[in-house]
Amino acid sequence: MTSQNNLNRRGFLGLAGAAALTPYFFTANAKGQSPQIAGFDQTDTDYDPLQEWRPYTDRKLRVGLVGYGFCKFSAEFGFQNHPNVEIVAVSDLFPDRCAELAKRVECEKTYPSLEEMVKDDTIEAIFCATDAPSHAKHAALCLEHGKHVCHAVPVFYGDPDDGEMLLETVKKNPGLKYAMFETSTFHDDVYAMEKIYRAGGFGKIIYSEGEYNHTKEPGQPSYPSYKDWRKNGTPLWYPTHATAYYVGVTHKRFTDVSARGIMPMDNPNPTPNGSGNVFIGEVALLNTEEGGLSRMMCTSSYGVYLEAGRVRGEIGGFDATFQPIENAYVGTGDGRNIVKSLGDSIKKPALPPGVDAGGHGGSHGYLCCDFVDAILKDQDTRVGIIDALNMTIPGYYAHLSATRDGETIKLPVYEL
């Protein structure tokens, strides 16, 4: 993977030390460890070299990794390279994948399933990179066995009862850390926007957008998945790369949604998939608890691969989709003064030696470090259970709205 020290540095608002945010066009992993999947490119990432990573403990968190399917995700976030982590066990349902994962992260202990792994009392925390429909169930299982847990997105897939079950499990285990690894939250722009929003540099968000456009070449088959879950869902059941461009910035929620689905252009009567879906893309309009409006979308239409978005507020807005991040903020004099006062604090800190920023906009290593720090420093994770649910639930009801000719549907309120 690309070394953090070799990244191209640029300035933000004339301040040195940042790399330009780049759209995620590329599909190659630098070491060839992952399939050619859009979003896995090792993109330059914006960080402040003055925010040097410093060792704060000699303790090594004992971590288990589960899931080494098509995306090979459990080895892509850098746990095996973190100076405060020891990988003590790995698991995958398929023996060949389990063996490959063990070799990749240099771990000798393997388990044939997560259900067996959670019984291992030497494991303190588990990263679940399993199939999306199992995320909530698997995370809850880890918590019930006294393990801190993080998992890939989304928090549930097609069944909001799974999400509510996990919420109750988190509530029953307040001493354990939970995180959903939504990559957009550590994109350079979302990270900066969250800092600016917290400081008042936008005021209230009047309008926001999030776009997840996962293009495939014409004729390219669908990515394989365990029990074909990818083939049998709906576009906005996988919404978090888009919805993070509001929830990840504000840590607030959407209140209601109205959505439309896009039918295949070449087939007016498509065969429904396993979940009854016929849409190839979905676009949602959502009201926010601030009183603003958001547009969130997920399509596989042809064009630039995007995990992108933007916000427009009362005194400032931010859009780094196709321009250098130092030009992304536009605001009033008051807004510009706030951003100027923040200086380099809107940039991500440096990562530990050996931990690369990784794919999905240079987010992988940061999500790993965020989870490890939350446990060892006893602090909140970047995407806790409430944000995870607020990023995921709008997509479920957006699809329902699309099947009802755009009916407006109220969204549930989640609380700890």
Side-chain angles (χ1 to χ4, degrees):
M1 296 181 183
T2 303
S3 169
Q4 181 104 1
N5 293 328
N6 293 330
L7 297 176
N8 179 38
R9 312 264 174 87
R10 300 182 65 177
F12 183 89
L13 298 175
L15 300 171
L21 177 74
T22 56
Y24 313 117
F25 297 93
F26 311 101
T27 57
N29 178 289
K31 281 188 176 178
Q33 299 285 8
S34 293
Q36 301 294 303
I37 305 172
F40 276 62
D41 56 297
Q42 309 301 297
T43 50
D44 287 357
T45 191
D46 179 12
Y47 77 102
D48 176 17
L50 297 180
Q51 294 185 56
E52 179 184 0
W53 185 86
R54 298 179 185 275
Y56 54 87
T57 179
D58 292 331
R59 186 160 104 72
K60 287 186 177 289
L61 182 69
R62 299 187 301 275
V63 173
L65 304 174
V66 57
Y68 202 62
F70 179 66
C71 293
K72 304 188 185 302
F73 246 17
S74 58
E76 289 291 332
F77 286 76
F79 283 99
Q80 65 272 23
N81 300 319
H82 195 291
N84 294 113
V85 169
E86 176 188 1
I87 305 298
V88 297
V90 301
S91 177
D92 192 280
L93 293 176
F94 298 88
D96 58 335
R97 294 178 179 177
C98 189
E100 185 182 352
L101 173 58
K103 181 179 179 181
R104 171 89 181 273
V105 301
E106 300 180 346
C107 176
E108 294 183 359
K109 186 186 291 187
T110 63
Y111 287 98
S113 68
L114 174 63
E115 287 74 12
E116 291 299 313
M117 175 185 278
V118 293
K119 299 174 186 177
D120 187 335
D121 291 336
T122 68
I123 298 173
E124 298 176 90
I126 294 178
F127 174 35
C128 293
T130 53
D131 58 296
S134 297
H135 287 166
K137 177 184 72 174
H138 286 166
L141 182 66
C142 293
L143 292 168
E144 289 165 352
H145 281 79
K147 319 296 186 190
H148 306 284
V149 67
C150 55
H151 64 80
V153 298
V155 66
F156 68 84
Y157 192 76
D159 189 348
D161 289 345
D162 287 347
E164 293 185 8
M165 175 274 298
L166 179 56
L167 173 60
E168 292 307 310
T169 307
V170 171
K171 289 179 180 180
K172 292 175 183 177
N173 294 276
L176 297 174
K177 301 299 181 182
Y178 163 88
M180 184 180 76
F181 273 15
E182 173 41 55
T183 54
S184 290
T185 62
F186 275 107
H187 286 179
D188 297 350
D189 55 352
V190 174
Y191 190 87
M193 285 191 282
E194 195 259 1
K195 297 277 189 175
I196 294 169
Y197 178 84
R198 188 185 304 171
F202 296 127
K204 293 180 180 179
I205 302 298
I206 296 171
Y207 179 70
S208 54
E209 295 180 327
E211 299 167 330
Y212 181 34
N213 190 66
H214 202 300
T215 299
K216 295 186 297 183
E217 290 291 330
Q220 179 183 351
S222 299
Y223 294 144
S225 56
Y226 182 63
K227 296 184 179 179
D228 282 337
W229 67 263
R230 284 191 175 91
K231 294 181 181 179
N232 291 313
T234 79
L236 276 173
W237 280 3
Y238 203 91
T240 60
H241 293 335
T243 54
Y245 273 83
Y246 178 74
V247 179
V249 173
T250 65
H251 303 287
K252 297 184 182 296
R253 59 180 289 270
F254 302 108
T255 59
D256 56 69
V257 61
S258 173
R260 295 285 184 171
I262 304 167
M263 298 286 285
M265 300 296 179
D266 59 349
N267 183 2
N269 296 298
T271 301
N273 67 11
S275 64
N277 176 59
V278 295
F279 299 132
I280 61 171
E282 293 174 325
V283 181
L285 285 177
L286 305 109
N287 287 304
T288 73
E289 67 173 291
E290 294 178 283
L293 186 68
S294 286
R295 176 184 67 88
M296 301 290 162
M297 64 87 107
C298 182
T299 79
S300 58
S301 54
Y302 204 72
V304 172
Y305 177 89
L306 283 178
E307 297 169 26
R310 56 210 58 86
V311 303
R312 293 177 177 272
E314 295 172 304
I315 64 170
F318 198 104
D319 185 355
T321 311
F322 295 112
Q323 61 183 331
I325 198 167
E326 63 265 26
N327 298 330
Y329 180 86
V330 176
T332 65
D334 288 343
R336 292 195 302 272
N337 286 335
I338 289 172
V339 173
K340 184 177 180 180
S341 71
L342 292 172
D344 287 351
S345 70
I346 64 171
K347 304 171 190 174
K348 295 180 289 191
L351 289 168
V355 178
D356 293 316
H360 284 90
S363 66
H364 288 182
Y366 284 97
L367 286 162
C368 165
C369 290
D370 178 71
F371 183 62
V372 172
D373 286 349
I375 297 169
L376 297 183
K377 296 181 178 181
D378 191 21
Q379 60 192 32
D380 292 337
T381 60
R382 187 160 182 83
V383 185
I385 186 64
I386 300 302
D387 276 3
L389 289 167
N390 286 338
M391 289 180 190
T392 304
I393 195 68
Y396 173 82
Y397 284 106
H399 173 69
L400 188 60
S401 170
T403 66
R404 298 178 178 177
D405 200 29
E407 174 187 334
T408 299
I409 300 176
K410 294 288 185 182
L411 299 177
V413 179
Y414 298 111
E415 295 178 340
L416 278 175

